[in-house]
Amino acid sequence: MTALQHLLSAAARGAAKRSPAARMMTAVACEADTAIHVNLAPKTRRDGGGRGVQWIFLGCPGVGKGTYASRLSQLLGVPHIATGDLVRNELASSSPQARQLADITNQGKLVSDEVIMTLLSKRLQQQEANGESGFILDGFPRTIRQAEIFEGVTDVDLVVNLKLREDVLLEKCLGRRICSQCGGNFNVAFINIRGENGEPGMYMPPLLPPPQCTTKLISRPDDTEEVVKERLHVYYEMSQPVEEFYSQPRKTVGIQLTRRNRRIMAKIFASAET
Ligand SMILES: Nc1ncnc2c1ncn2[C@@H]1O[C@H](COP(=O)(O)OP(=O)(O)O)[C@@H](O)[C@H]1O
C-alpha cells in the first residue's frame, strides 16, 4: 500500500468513527502573569461528532509551534503530532533511509512529500489503533502538495498561523535546548526588545530547564545559524504558499507574537469557537 493510500484509509476510518456526543471542556491556560479561563466547546459542536479537534499549526522555524501545540494537546486531550519529531525518530532508527534523511535535515532542506506522508500515515494508524482521535499537527503541511493531499482526506477545523520577527526567530532557534535524558524542550534565549517607530516591543523570557536537566542539555544539529537561515529561506519559498492555501475558505487565525503566552491560548480558543 502506498503512503497516500495509508493516509487516505487512516483518515477515512477516523471520519467514520465520529460520534454525535458534544463535549464541553473548561481549559485553564496559565500565563506568565495572567490566568485565562476559557470555556471551550470544541469543533464537535460544528459537525455533531465526538471526535477530538483537528487543528494545524503553521509558522516559521522557531516561532513556537511546538510550545503552543503541546500545551493545547494536553488541555484538549488530543495527540500532538510534530512531523519534525517523526523525522528525528526515523533518524534515530536503523532504517535504511536514516542517513539520507540526516543529510537533508542537516542542510535545512525539506524531506520528500512521500517520506513525510509515509511517516504521518504510520503515526495516524498507530493512534487509531490506540483508540485516539483528533490531532494538533505541528510542521505539516509544509508544501502545497502535502496540503492538497491532506485537504482531500481530512476535515481540518482550525489553522493557527504564528508569526514572529525574523531576527527573533533566528535567536530563538539558536537558543533551543533539549534535555538528552527526559527529552524536554527549553529555550535559553532572552528576547527583550524596546518598541520603537510604531513597532511593538517584545518580551520573551527564557524557558529554563529544571535543575536535574541543566547538565544534560543539547542543541539540535540543524539549529546552527547557517542552517536556520537556510530553513527560513526554505520556509518562505515552499511553506509560505501553504498559508495562502488555507487563508480563504478555511478557518485560519493569524497571530503576531510579541510576548510569550499572553492571551495567545485564549485567542486560539476564541477562533475555534466562532
Ligand atoms: N512536513 C514536512 N515536510 C518536509 N520536511 C519536513 C516536514 N516536517 C519536518 N520536516 C523535516 O524535519 C526537519 C525538522 O522539522 P521541525 O522540527 O518541524 O523544524 P522547525 O524547527 O524548522 O519547524 C525540517 O527541517 C525538515 O527537514
Side-chain angles (χ1 to χ4, degrees):
M1 209 187 236
T2 65
L4 177 56
Q5 281 168 326
H6 273 298
L7 191 60
L8 286 165
S9 57
R13 285 192 295 274
K17 272 171 45 172
R18 292 172 194 170
S19 89
R23 66 192 166 104
M24 191 76 170
M25 169 175 188
T26 298
V28 179
C30 291
E31 304 285 329
D33 51 359
T34 72
I36 296 175
H37 297 260
V38 185
N39 282 320
L40 178 68
K43 292 306 303 167
T44 50
R45 206 170 55 184
R46 181 173 66 82
D47 62 17
R51 66 159 168 77
V53 301
Q54 301 190 159
W55 292 358
I56 283 176
F57 270 72
L58 303 178
C60 285
V63 76
K65 301 183 293 292
T67 305
Y68 290 105
S70 128
R71 282 182 197 164
L72 286 162
S73 141
Q74 285 161 20
L75 285 168
L76 298 171
V78 294
H80 166 207
I81 305 177
T83 46
D85 288 344
L86 301 183
V87 172
R88 280 183 287 277
N89 290 344
E90 193 66 13
L91 289 182
S93 76
S94 52
S95 82
Q97 64 180 357
R99 182 64 182 273
Q100 197 192 355
L101 292 184
D103 286 346
I104 296 171
T105 55
N106 289 342
Q107 287 174 51
K109 310 279 187 214
L110 295 183
V111 306
S112 71
D113 292 334
E114 182 69 14
V115 166
I116 283 294
M117 290 300 177
T118 305
L119 295 177
L120 182 58
S121 166
K122 275 193 207 152
R123 178 64 176 76
L124 288 171
Q125 285 180 323
Q126 262 169 20
Q127 99 170 34
E128 187 201 343
N130 296 340
E132 295 172 312
S133 79
F135 51 75
I136 299 187
L137 270 177
D138 147 15
F140 178 94
R142 250 168 156 117
T143 65
I144 288 288
R145 181 159 173 252
Q146 292 175 13
E148 283 172 350
I149 293 173
F150 205 57
E151 185 70 6
V153 295
T154 47
D155 179 18
V156 173
D157 305 322
L158 181 70
V159 178
V160 182
N161 185 9
L162 299 178
K163 300 267 177 201
L164 190 57
R165 272 168 52 160
E166 184 167 327
D167 55 337
V168 177
L169 288 171
L170 179 60
E171 221 175 311
K172 284 192 65 209
C173 283
L174 299 182
R176 284 205 282 219
R177 299 289 182 276
I178 302 159
C179 173
S180 54
Q181 192 160 50
C182 73
N185 286 290
F186 308 101
N187 203 311
V188 297
F190 189 176
I191 312 296
N192 191 6
I193 301 171
R194 284 227 316 246
E196 52 189 6
N197 303 329
E199 293 291 318
M202 305 196 65
Y203 183 74
M204 296 178 179
L207 275 176
L208 294 175
Q212 68 272 22
C213 297
T214 44
T215 55
K216 300 168 191 125
L217 298 184
I218 53 169
S219 298
R220 278 171 39 179
D222 58 346
D223 273 344
T224 63
E225 182 165 349
E226 188 190 356
V227 179
V228 172
K229 284 184 172 161
E230 174 60 15
R231 280 158 53 207
L232 287 169
H233 171 74
V234 168
Y235 184 88
Y236 298 133
E237 195 177 329
M238 305 293 292
S239 309
Q240 208 154 36
V242 175
E243 298 179 10
E244 280 138 43
F245 178 90
Y246 283 118
S247 69
Q248 285 167 12
R250 187 61 67 197
K251 183 174 276 204
T252 301
V253 54
I255 300 177
Q256 185 71 42
L257 298 169
T258 53
R259 303 178 87 83
R260 179 173 293 125
N261 289 337
R262 187 180 281 189
R263 303 193 188 286
I264 303 297
M265 305 278 266
K267 191 165 178 187
I268 294 171
F269 284 139
S271 311
E273 286 294 88
T274 49

